[in-house]
Amino acid sequence: MQIKKAEFITSNTDPAKCPKPDKPEYAFIGRSNVGKSSLINMLANRKSLAKTSQTPGKTQLINHFLIDDKWYLVDLPGYGFAKVSKTSREKWEKMIHDYLTSRENLVCTFVLIDGRIPPQANDLQFMEWLGEHNLPFVMVFTKTEKVGVNIIKKSIADYHKTMRQTWADVPPHFVTSSVIGRGQDEILAYIDELNREYNEAAR
Ligand code: GTP
Ligand code: MG
């Protein structure tokens, strides 16, 4: 699958004000600066559909993009940015947790993880939370053009090892780079398949 049309629809803090939940939806989340907005642009072959920045904390709202008039990509604000106050952290948590648990058309959450560094406690905690709430997710390793393949393999193996202590299954994963377009075909094929299942179940 290739994305032909991508349009920005809304930015929200209130999950209840998001677009009507009548199409399959995929949310992108992860630590601030991990590359969520860049990955959305890469998937859509667009330079600045979602706003990116070298400074963490760029995306602050729940942003809906309608893709090919058929499904939604959602760019979310990141977690783990050291410089935020306790109040903003709590606000983020409430907004994101409300969104993820109430959005009935949310098919899968893509959890972005910096592929260059060892497993981080906040990424593991966030995925643990998703698992506890029975929310389907996949792992997306980002910025992988920056390091050798063995570093990425080790990082994936380390995540799996920790996750298997709690869960019987580990979620699927993707190895990506927005700079060189790595992982685009694989992620879009995965979404295409989930869209098909969603539409069959809705019939
Ligand atoms: P917030 O909205 O602040 O939470 O960040 P984000 O996760 O949306 O990250 P964003 O896409 O804005 O990218 C953050 C920085 O990482 C930017 O400087 C990007 O150019 C850079 N970046 C994103 N993806 C890649 C990648 O695949 N490789 C490299 N080398 N840099 C990347
Ligand atoms: Mg962003």
Side-chain angles (χ1 to χ4, degrees), residues 32 55-60 77-93 122:
S32 289
T55 320
K58 178 70 180 174
T59 310
Q60 293 281 340
Y79 50 84
F81 178 32
K83 281 190 194 151
V84 302
S85 64
K86 191 163 172 253
T87 327
S88 346
R89 194 160 49 234
E90 282 166 0
K91 260 199 199 152
W92 176 92
E93 217 168 83
N122 49 8

Side-chain angles (χ1 to χ4, degrees), residues 36-37 51 58-59 75-76:
K36 302 174 289 295
S37 304
K51 293 200 184 85
K58 178 70 180 174
T59 310
D75 192 15
L76 295 171

